[in-house]
Amino acid sequence: MTGARTLDELAGPLRALRLVACDFPHLPAPNVDVTPLYPKVLRLSLHETTCDSFAAFEQWRHALAIEPGVVDFHVQCNGRTSVLVGHGAYGGVDIELTAYATVPSVDTAPVVLGVPA
């Protein structure tokens, strides 16, 4: 990147954020990230501490018309955090939708018929 970006260069994702806020006010509020590092991307993330992140992810994925086949699932933090990531387009910019959820430990996993899940 040569020189500092201007706020005008972030107009695309900021407009998309405005559209998302107007079009989907009923959906769970995500964390929002607009950065000069990726000036054509609006990032929305959902964390288990603020909502049921995977259920909220599905609501947002459906609203933004992100196809299920492009969603990636992986585990990070030594197997302690599950992550869903989907990419799509909305309002003329790229959207990155991410959800994080804590993986239940063996001690807190449900027991079915005396056998840990």
Side-chain angles (χ1 to χ4, degrees), residues 21-111:
C22 290
D23 292 347
F24 310 116
H26 59 285
L27 292 181
N31 290 318
V32 176
D33 182 35
V34 175
T35 174
L37 297 174
Y38 303 101
K40 298 185 187 317
V41 179
L42 173 61
R43 291 180 170 164
L44 306 175
S45 62
L46 302 148
H47 299 261
E48 185 176 50
T49 56
T50 57
C51 61
D52 182 357
S53 62
F54 284 1
F57 178 92
E58 278 303 302
Q59 291 175 326
W60 276 105
R61 184 194 62 72
H62 180 74
L64 297 170
I66 296 173
E67 293 296 323
V70 301
V71 173
D72 175 57
F73 171 81
H74 63 275
V75 178
Q76 63 187 34
C77 296
N78 292 327
R80 294 185 312 238
T81 304
S82 297
V83 183
L84 290 174
V85 181
H87 296 271
Y90 195 80
V93 299
D94 293 330
I95 298 280
E96 181 180 288
L97 178 63
T98 306
Y100 302 92
T102 303
V103 174
S105 69
V106 173
D107 296 339
T108 61
V111 175

